[in-house]
Amino acid sequence: MEITLESPLDMHLHLREGAMLRQVAPLSARHFAGAVVMPNLTPPVDSLERLRAYRAAIMEAVAPFTFTPWMTLFFRPYPTATLAAARDEIIGVKLYPEGVTTNSAGGVRDLEAVEDTLAAMERLGIPLLVHGETHGFVLDREAEFLPIYARWAKRFPRLTIVMEHITTAAALELLERFPNLAATVTVHHLLTTLDDVAGGLLQPHLFCKPIPKRPEDRAALQAAALRAHPRLMFGSDSAPHPRERKEAAACAAGVFSAPVALALLAGLFARHDALANLQAFVSDNARRVYGVTPPARRVRLARRPWQAPERYGDVVPFYAGQTLEWQVTDVEP
Ligand code: DOR
Ligand code: ZN
């Protein structure tokens, strides 16, 4: 069994900087024609100058692959003129509530105080990407954030709001209520639950924010992805950390899935007899939601078992050392 995908896209990706960027970026660029690049560096990407330098470093790291890094600015209460100047160089602005995840210390403290900026983004047609978690009990953080999404979706009906890495059935229900909401979902949230992370021996390489939830949440996410819900996009949230930051007393959040994501998705869709919907889920939905055109690149996968590497440099991937049913067999550079 085989499938050829036209320009697969990863609509939520952490590439880091320096040696880590050079290590992980080619692994994404090999399988994906483009990706939405997250701005949670230290310090965050919050100026056009920094964004341009980061984009240039990414382009250098992905060569010779043809790969579009769609850049995001880290949310600040930017003046309208700053947003207007940035508009043609960004795909959106990423909002992190303060302190909810890796490198979000500079995030938003007062979610009531962002509305002027959201109004300007709506006028300028700049999408808002959101890490939607509160500071509540860890399993309830996404659910507690849903009313905030609803309020913004209602108040700014022409603002495209992307609920990043959704993990609950409740988030999918909200997606149905507002046409200006879209969402990304990761491959690890499609495949794991909290049991995989903490039900047996603790699995640091599966630990991420938001934490994977209940089996019924995963089932709802799978159902929506497998039918390629038109406003649901694949976003890996692949988030590499060096092994010593994961296998540690204070384990960093993040699953490094970039090199295995497409193969795992093909396996999931094939098992559910839904391969015909994979193109929409990994590319076409994103093109429509964001109005972007990726570079034309075909990526072929086949049902041929392979063993995922134990490491890429000092980063341990999702499914390290395990056998995957499907593999990427051919890529156009
Ligand atoms: O698990 C996560 N890791 N979740 C995030 O939101 C950020 C990411 C990271 O940057 O490591
Ligand atoms: Zn992320």
Side-chain angles (χ1 to χ4, degrees):
M1 219 185 329
E2 285 195 350
I3 183 171
T4 300
L5 297 171
E6 307 282 342
S7 304
L9 302 174
D10 180 349
M11 302 312 279
H12 184 131
L13 178 63
H14 297 271
L15 286 174
R16 316 301 192 204
E17 292 181 274
M20 183 65 95
L21 168 67
R22 290 189 292 276
Q23 169 74 37
V24 302
L27 299 168
S28 282
R30 185 176 179 77
H31 293 177
F32 296 93
V36 174
V37 180
M38 291 299 129
N40 63 330
L41 307 180
T42 33
V45 181
D46 64 356
S47 73
L48 255 191
E49 228 181 317
R50 179 132 167 75
L51 181 131
R52 286 177 184 146
Y54 188 32
R55 187 177 195 286
I58 294 168
M59 291 312 286
E60 203 170 302
V62 298
F65 293 107
T66 308
F67 176 83
T68 302
W70 285 298
M71 306 303 291
T72 58
L73 276 177
F74 191 91
F75 187 96
R76 306 275 189 208
Y78 295 113
T80 304
T82 306
L83 292 170
R87 175 165 67 170
D88 294 344
E89 296 180 52
I90 60 175
I91 195 164
V93 174
K94 173 74 187 282
L95 187 152
Y96 291 90
E98 182 185 41
V100 290
T101 190
T102 310
N103 299 346
S104 62
V108 172
R109 184 170 306 178
D110 181 4
L111 290 169
E112 304 285 329
V114 301
E115 301 207 347
D116 288 350
T117 310
L118 301 192
M121 288 169 58
E122 181 184 43
R123 282 196 301 278
L124 290 163
I126 299 174
L128 173 71
L129 288 58
V130 184
H131 184 116
E133 288 196 286
T134 66
H135 295 86
F137 177 65
V138 69
L139 287 175
D140 296 337
R141 287 176 190 176
E142 180 173 292
E144 288 174 359
F145 199 90
L146 297 179
I148 301 168
Y149 281 129
R151 185 171 82 227
W152 291 344
K154 203 177 304 170
R155 212 164 279 182
F156 307 104
R158 290 182 319 284
L159 177 66
T160 296
I161 301 171
V162 184
M163 303 190 284
E164 295 293 340
H165 44 55
I166 59 171
T167 62
T168 57
L172 285 164
E173 283 163 26
L174 186 68
L175 187 61
E176 295 308 318
R177 285 183 39 211
F178 297 98
N180 56 326
L181 288 180
T184 58
V185 66
T186 76
V187 70
H188 49 284
H189 291 108
L190 289 172
L191 294 177
T192 66
T193 70
L194 184 55
D195 256 357
D196 297 291
V197 184
L201 295 180
L202 190 65
Q203 300 298 313
H205 298 291
L206 299 181
F207 173 65
C208 63
K209 299 287 178 66
I211 199 86
K213 305 291 187 311
R214 307 181 64 85
E216 47 272 39
D217 292 305
R218 179 180 58 179
L221 295 170
Q222 282 192 3
L226 290 166
R227 77 173 178 91
H229 183 296
R231 281 175 286 119
L232 186 62
M233 306 173 278
F234 173 61
S236 71
D237 200 11
S238 179
H241 292 278
R243 187 173 163 218
E244 66 272 15
R245 297 279 332 275
K246 296 290 289 175
E247 298 175 10
C251 166
V255 174
F256 177 55
S257 60
V260 292
L262 261 194
L264 288 170
L265 288 174
L268 174 69
F269 278 63
R271 280 195 301 283
H272 290 86
D273 210 9
L275 271 184
N277 291 340
L278 186 54
Q279 174 67 33
F281 178 61
V282 296
S283 189
D284 301 351
N285 289 352
R287 301 183 204 206
R288 214 177 36 251
V289 167
Y290 278 111
V292 292
T293 306
R297 272 181 61 194
R298 276 198 197 103
V299 174
R300 198 191 312 266
L301 296 106
R303 187 164 171 213
R304 195 179 301 163
W306 67 295
Q307 195 186 356
E310 296 280 358
R311 312 243 186 296
Y312 291 87
D314 67 345
V315 191
V316 177
F318 192 37
Y319 275 70
Q322 296 184 54
T323 300
L324 278 66
E325 279 171 276
W326 281 69
Q327 66 174 283
V328 175
T329 53
D330 274 299
V331 298
E332 290 176 353

